[in-house]
Amino acid sequence: MLWRVVDATQQGSRPKTRFSIGRGMNVVYFPRQCDEKSVFEFCSEVESHAGRDVVVIDFSAMGRIEPFTMVYVANRIRDFNRNNRETTVRCRGFQDKDYAANMAFFRAFGLKHGRAPSEVEGNDRFVPFTILRTRTIVDEASKEWEVPQEIIERRAEHLAMVLSRNESENLLDALTFSIREIMRNVVEHSKSRAIEYCAQYWPSYHRVEIAILDNGIGLRKSLSSNPYIEVECDSDAIQQALMPAISSKNYAGARINTNDPWHNSGFGLYMSSRICRLGGNFLICSGDHAIRLDENGKEHIALGHHCPGTAVRMVLKTSKLISLNDMLQQFRSEGYEVARQIKGVGFYAASAASQMLSRDFR
């Protein structure tokens, strides 16, 4: 692939791809505040310039940038570059953005500045932009004579330990569970070739943010394999996916081995979102829509562009976390009551994996 993301300020060697400067060049300014709506508007503006000779992305105003913004924006710029081979993407104003460079944000979309994705595992309570191939998980599981979910569990626990530095067992368990359940969804449902993720823990704010994204088939197409689910739009698909016992593989008549602790019961997203709503928030994007959940309720967000696959941001308020088993027992009971009212659900008890950590059901 020929990358055309270049430094707009470079004075030495010129980029190999020729382009004209003038009427075909457009400048898109990265937002100062990286709230989700500003980020989505920025991505939509970049995509609106498809077909131009040159698109200049100006990062001069970029202030505090967080994991979801880095994962989501890098993915969108990278896809824009792949899908618009006639357009050169130039960048300026990024040279002093040390945190973003250290988190591998710039190299994640092709700009040669800062660390590369997956270059380091993370320390000091952060996990930089990482790209994990799903094939790597499958191959590792085969080598160890295990199921892929066991590999995901260990990787999730490792990431949780990096973030929490063993600050509290409640935090470690909640992080492990939440990261594992989202990664499981990517491997089991998305058909994506990779999982992209990034995370940061701010102890002084009692706040953790984890961003996980895939380039798979998306929630709408995934749920279409369930004959009892009708989804007319991406908004419907996201809302269905957040319901307990709703899954592309869990429905009346489906063959499910309920003795398998990893069987897919459709409780993973529901449980993870409930944990995040304890003072934090949960954001999920797929297709042209996003839904944000917090303790005050639900917000629908129109993206203004298409998000292939699924992107998730989990924000946990660490001061609100109690024993994971206590939390999940409550959420599971409430989820069962909701699931019993849903027609067509092949209602099985939530899998052991969706109720606890794997060490608790071995």
Side-chain angles (χ1 to χ4, degrees), residues 191-231:
K191 300 182 181 179
S192 177
R193 294 183 178 181
I195 306 171
E196 302 181 24
Y197 58 88
C198 183
Q200 176 77 61
Y201 175 31
W202 297 274
S204 59
Y205 296 103
H206 307 288
R207 182 175 182 269
V208 180
E209 178 175 328
I210 307 138
I212 300 175
L213 177 147
D214 69 69
N215 284 303
I217 60 177
L219 292 177
R220 187 175 180 182
K221 187 172 182 179
S222 175
L223 289 176
S224 67
S225 60
N226 185 327
Y228 293 92
I229 295 179
E230 293 183 8
V231 288

Side-chain angles (χ1 to χ4, degrees), residues 118-131:
S118 310
E119 186 174 303
V120 296
E121 292 187 347
N123 52 61
D124 196 26
R125 295 191 170 97
F126 75 89
V127 176
F129 199 118
T130 303
I131 300 175

Side-chain angles (χ1 to χ4, degrees), residues 67-356:
F68 178 79
T69 299
M70 287 186 276
V71 169
Y72 194 87
V73 169
N75 182 271
R76 300 310 322 128
I77 296 176
R78 192 191 320 137
D79 274 9
F80 177 85
N81 187 65
R82 287 172 175 166
N83 297 331
N84 297 277
R85 294 182 174 276
E86 72 282 9
T87 302
T88 294
V89 177
R90 309 197 84 195
C91 299
R92 69 188 186 196
F94 57 85
Q95 290 85 352
D96 62 342
K97 310 304 179 185
D98 296 336
Y99 175 75
N102 196 44
M103 293 290 278
F105 168 61
F106 297 111
R107 282 189 179 267
F109 63 81
L111 180 64
K112 293 181 178 180
H113 178 68
R115 283 179 173 165
S118 310
E119 186 174 303
V120 296
E121 292 187 347
N123 52 61
D124 196 26
R125 295 191 170 97
F126 75 89
V127 176
F129 199 118
T130 303
I131 300 175
L132 173 61
R133 305 296 175 186
T134 50
R135 187 73 237 174
T136 299
I137 296 173
V138 173
D139 289 345
E140 188 174 337
S142 178
K143 181 180 179 181
E144 299 294 331
W145 294 88
E146 294 177 323
V147 294
Q149 290 88 344
E150 294 284 357
I151 305 301
I152 294 172
E153 168 89 9
R154 286 203 294 274
R155 285 182 175 267
E157 185 173 23
H158 173 71
L159 293 176
M161 291 179 67
V162 169
L163 290 171
S164 68
R165 286 287 185 252
N166 295 318
E167 184 167 303
S168 78
E169 187 175 345
N170 289 342
L171 175 57
L172 178 63
D173 286 350
L175 287 173
T176 301
F177 180 90
S178 300
I179 295 169
R180 183 199 67 196
E181 288 303 299
I182 304 304
M183 286 188 171
R184 274 187 67 193
N185 277 347
V186 176
V187 174
E188 295 174 5
H189 300 286
S190 75
K191 300 182 181 179
S192 177
R193 294 183 178 181
I195 306 171
E196 302 181 24
Y197 58 88
C198 183
Q200 176 77 61
Y201 175 31
W202 297 274
S204 59
Y205 296 103
H206 307 288
R207 182 175 182 269
V208 180
E209 178 175 328
I210 307 138
I212 300 175
L213 177 147
D214 69 69
N215 284 303
I217 60 177
L219 292 177
R220 187 175 180 182
K221 187 172 182 179
S222 175
L223 289 176
S224 67
S225 60
N226 185 327
Y228 293 92
I229 295 179
E230 293 183 8
V231 288
E232 297 182 356
C233 60
D234 293 309
S235 173
D236 288 346
I238 296 173
Q239 292 188 95
Q240 296 270 19
L242 289 168
M243 296 286 286
I246 295 293
S247 166
S248 62
K249 298 180 180 180
N250 178 33
Y251 52 87
R255 290 187 174 184
I256 295 178
N257 179 9
T258 56
N259 293 320
D260 178 4
W262 295 105
H263 83 262
N264 193 281
S265 59
F267 271 73
L269 276 178
Y270 166 75
M271 293 288 207
S272 297
S273 67
R274 290 295 303 272
I275 293 173
C276 293
R277 290 168 69 181
L278 294 172
N281 60 75
F282 186 90
L283 176 73
I284 181 167
C285 316
S286 188
D288 61 11
H289 201 79
I291 289 180
R292 185 183 188 275
L293 302 170
D294 59 27
E295 57 188 351
N296 297 316
K298 174 172 63 176
E299 180 183 7
H300 287 266
I301 304 171
L303 297 183
H305 57 270
H306 183 74
C307 168
T310 304
V312 170
R313 182 187 67 198
M314 297 180 286
V315 177
L316 284 75
K317 188 71 171 179
T318 61
S319 59
K320 295 288 187 75
L321 296 177
I322 57 177
S323 167
L324 181 69
N325 287 335
D326 292 341
M327 288 190 293
L328 296 185
Q329 184 176 358
Q330 175 190 342
F331 301 154
R332 179 190 61 199
S333 298
E334 294 172 0
Y336 283 166
E337 292 303 314
V338 174
R340 288 190 180 95
Q341 302 174 36
I342 303 174
K343 295 180 180 180
V345 170
F347 186 71
Y348 309 103
S351 68
S354 293
Q355 298 183 52
M356 60 192 77

Side-chain angles (χ1 to χ4, degrees), residues 25-97:
M25 186 177 71
N26 298 268
V27 180
V28 181
Y29 294 92
F30 194 85
R32 183 180 301 276
Q33 300 297 327
C34 288
D35 60 279
E36 56 263 23
K37 291 183 180 179
S38 297
V39 169
F40 296 148
E41 288 174 1
F42 166 79
C43 293
S44 296
E45 186 177 359
V46 170
E47 294 192 9
S48 72
H49 295 303
R52 300 285 187 173
D53 291 338
V54 179
V55 175
V56 176
I57 300 177
D58 191 318
F59 292 96
S60 301
M62 184 174 76
R64 174 173 171 169
I65 186 169
E66 298 180 346
F68 178 79
T69 299
M70 287 186 276
V71 169
Y72 194 87
V73 169
N75 182 271
R76 300 310 322 128
I77 296 176
R78 192 191 320 137
D79 274 9
F80 177 85
N81 187 65
R82 287 172 175 166
N83 297 331
N84 297 277
R85 294 182 174 276
E86 72 282 9
T87 302
T88 294
V89 177
R90 309 197 84 195
C91 299
R92 69 188 186 196
F94 57 85
Q95 290 85 352
D96 62 342
K97 310 304 179 185

